[in-house]
Amino acid sequence: MNKSLNYWAVSDIIIEQTFTILDKQSLQPREEITMNSEELKELGLVQHIFVDLTAENGVKASCLILSADEVPRGTIQLSKRAKDKLGDCLTTGLTITKPEYDTVLRGIPKVDEIAKPYVKACPALVRKYTNQVELINPKNGFRVNLTLREDSTAKPNTLYFNRYIMLLLETHSEGHDPLIITRARTRSQPKPGIHKLINQLIQRPLSALGNFFIGKRELTLRVGHPYPFDEHQNLCRIHPNVRKLLGMEETDQIVISYNSKQITIPILDIDTEHIAQSVKLHADNEQLKFIDSHLFIGITALSRNELEIPSIGTSVTVKRSMYSLFLKHLNKLVLPVIALLFTIVQLYKDLNWSIALTVIISLVLLPIIIYTTLSEERAKIN
């Protein structure tokens, strides 16, 4: 065991505390530290938030903090991934910096605010944490990113979010469970390579056209484990009812987003008859079983790592890929477009149209043909 002198930085106050770092490391698939539950409370911390570890040589690591009664007082357990991130530096003299966070309660939003893409909050919370925040249930670690909107009528330390967010966090329907608010975690994105820039130049216009001609529907789902034999596959699993709500079919491409990162992978249905084998369901409450199964999206470890999802229970945003949708229905679009161009050319020759008039008519009729051809896809979400 290594003796470690740790400094817990709380605003401008530094509390000196000496711990022992256990030689045995946890094998969790993320960077984390675990300490005794009672000591966690004594230091004014709460589990499932991220703290910054800084070694004496300046190496830093952002780690999830957890608590466990079996960890002896005066000791800290590092995960293997946290130790690897710190590298070969000595695990003595670690500085652990506590982030800003607060306990908030849930307020009931007005009916016309339920479907808004933002959550009403008091001006003090918005000024302290900005508009992009993360809301965490400290009991289970479930977390969701929210966009705040300042409202002077909002109560202090209260967020006015709908029942759907409550279900994602698995908090009680009464809304009296204390939740943790902190700044949303963002990381600097590396500059994309040439091939990614080319893909973006192609995919973004097609996605914009898809949103215009078809429309989009986004859902927020809670991350879970896929089937064990899915781990080496590039796919995810959702409930068939949720897939239909998104207007998708099996093997369609879905876009999964978290903290400004996104991936596009195919989807498959989860086996609803044996869903308890993959989804952690409530034993007695049939209603909660139903809800949990529909909020589930099974994502492989590789995809979770690519999105930097901190833990199971994190909420991600999903929508269908318009780029892959256009490619899928390309065969339906080719013949009508060719027929249109052939007709325009013939009319140009027979009626002696000017080139300008021919181009204008083509530009008017082409969107109409695309809109009509994709009516089946549009009906799935409209």
Side-chain angles (χ1 to χ4, degrees):
M1 296 184 180
N2 298 319
K3 290 290 183 181
S4 174
L5 186 63
N6 300 269
Y7 299 91
W8 296 86
V10 186
S11 300
D12 297 329
I13 302 174
I14 296 179
I15 304 173
E16 185 175 307
Q17 183 75 26
T18 302
F19 290 96
T20 298
I21 296 179
L22 299 177
D23 287 335
K24 183 180 178 181
Q25 299 163 3
S26 65
L27 301 177
Q28 298 297 331
R30 55 181 176 258
E31 297 88 12
E32 68 177 36
I33 60 175
T34 308
M35 64 186 307
N36 184 270
S37 304
E38 294 181 358
E39 284 189 320
L40 189 80
K41 295 178 181 178
E42 292 172 2
L43 291 169
L45 291 168
V46 64
Q47 61 177 352
H48 302 300
I49 62 172
F50 278 87
V51 296
D52 292 327
L53 293 185
T54 307
E56 286 182 333
N57 60 358
V59 178
K60 295 183 178 181
S62 180
C63 296
L64 195 71
I65 187 167
L66 299 176
S67 64
D69 294 334
E70 56 269 20
V71 176
R73 290 181 64 90
T75 63
I76 288 179
Q77 185 180 35
L78 293 175
S79 68
K80 188 176 185 301
R81 287 180 180 263
K83 180 63 176 64
D84 291 342
K85 199 164 186 178
L86 291 171
D88 297 329
C89 64
L90 297 175
T91 53
T92 56
L94 285 176
T95 302
I96 307 178
T97 307
K98 165 185 168 182
E100 283 189 314
Y101 68 88
D102 276 303
T103 300
V104 295
L105 295 175
R106 185 240 178 180
I108 301 176
K110 297 179 181 178
V111 175
D112 57 349
E113 296 175 343
I114 291 177
K116 299 293 184 182
Y118 56 81
V119 170
K120 187 173 72 173
C122 66
L125 283 177
V126 177
R127 285 195 297 267
K128 185 174 182 180
Y129 295 104
T130 73
N131 294 95
Q132 302 301 320
V133 300
E134 192 171 43
L135 196 60
I136 307 169
N137 186 346
K139 292 184 178 180
N140 50 29
F142 292 176
R143 58 214 306 138
V144 60
N145 288 327
L146 299 176
T147 300
L148 300 187
R149 182 170 180 176
E150 184 177 322
D151 193 311
S152 58
T153 63
K155 295 180 181 179
N157 291 334
T158 302
L159 299 183
Y160 293 77
F161 52 86
N162 58 34
R163 184 169 175 263
Y164 186 62
I165 296 176
M166 292 174 57
L167 295 175
L168 289 170
L169 294 171
E170 206 174 83
T171 184
H172 291 158
S173 58
E174 294 85 0
H176 298 307
D177 285 344
L179 301 171
I180 301 300
I181 183 176
T182 184
R183 284 191 179 91
R185 300 177 64 241
T186 56
R187 296 188 181 184
S188 58
Q189 301 293 328
K191 293 184 178 180
I194 298 297
H195 65 286
K196 287 189 176 181
L197 286 175
I198 295 175
N199 288 339
Q200 290 177 1
L201 290 175
I202 297 174
Q203 292 182 13
R204 286 183 177 178
L206 289 179
S207 298
L209 286 173
N211 293 334
F212 177 77
F213 286 113
I214 301 174
K216 65 177 181 179
R217 174 175 288 158
E218 293 185 352
L219 291 177
T220 304
L221 301 176
R222 189 193 301 152
V223 172
H225 293 289
Y227 295 148
F229 42 80
D230 290 339
E231 284 293 349
H232 68 289
Q233 305 291 342
N234 185 34
L235 56 84
C236 68
R237 290 188 182 267
I238 62 176
H239 197 283
N241 290 343
V242 177
R243 172 180 57 77
K244 294 174 184 176
L245 187 62
L246 289 168
M248 303 180 67
E249 300 176 359
E250 282 197 280
T251 71
D252 280 356
Q253 298 282 326
I254 190 171
V255 179
I256 306 175
S257 305
Y258 178 73
N259 269 3
S260 72
K261 286 194 171 185
Q262 67 178 33
I263 58 173
T264 303
I265 53 177
I267 61 167
L268 290 177
D269 287 346
I270 193 169
D271 184 2
T272 54
E273 292 185 5
H274 305 91
I275 197 168
Q277 302 297 322
S278 182
V279 184
K280 185 179 179 182
L281 302 175
H282 288 77
D284 303 323
N285 195 317
E286 292 296 328
Q287 183 181 10
L288 291 179
K289 284 183 182 180
F290 176 84
I291 291 171
D292 285 343
S293 64
H294 283 70
L295 293 178
F296 166 84
I297 177 170
I299 305 179
T300 63
L302 184 62
S303 296
R304 296 197 303 270
N305 182 65
E306 188 175 351
L307 290 171
E308 296 184 358
I309 293 174
S311 58
I312 296 299
T314 299
S315 296
V316 295
T317 303
V318 298
K319 62 182 179 180
R320 57 181 177 177
S321 170
M322 291 300 174
Y323 175 72
S324 64
L325 192 64
F326 264 110
L327 296 181
K328 178 181 177 181
H329 295 281
L330 192 60
N331 59 331
K332 296 181 180 179
L333 294 172
V334 169
L335 291 178
V337 171
I338 291 177
L340 171 66
L341 296 177
F342 180 78
T343 303
I344 294 296
V345 170
Q346 286 299 115
L347 292 174
Y348 170 74
K349 292 180 179 179
D350 297 341
L351 302 177
N352 294 323
W353 285 351
S354 65
I355 295 178
L357 179 60
T358 304
V359 171
I360 292 173
I361 293 176
S362 300
L363 292 178
V364 170
L365 293 179
L366 186 61
I368 295 175
I369 288 178
I370 296 176
Y371 186 85
T372 305
T373 306
L374 296 175
S375 59
E376 182 181 350
E377 290 297 325
R378 189 166 55 255
K380 291 180 179 179
I381 62 172
N382 292 335

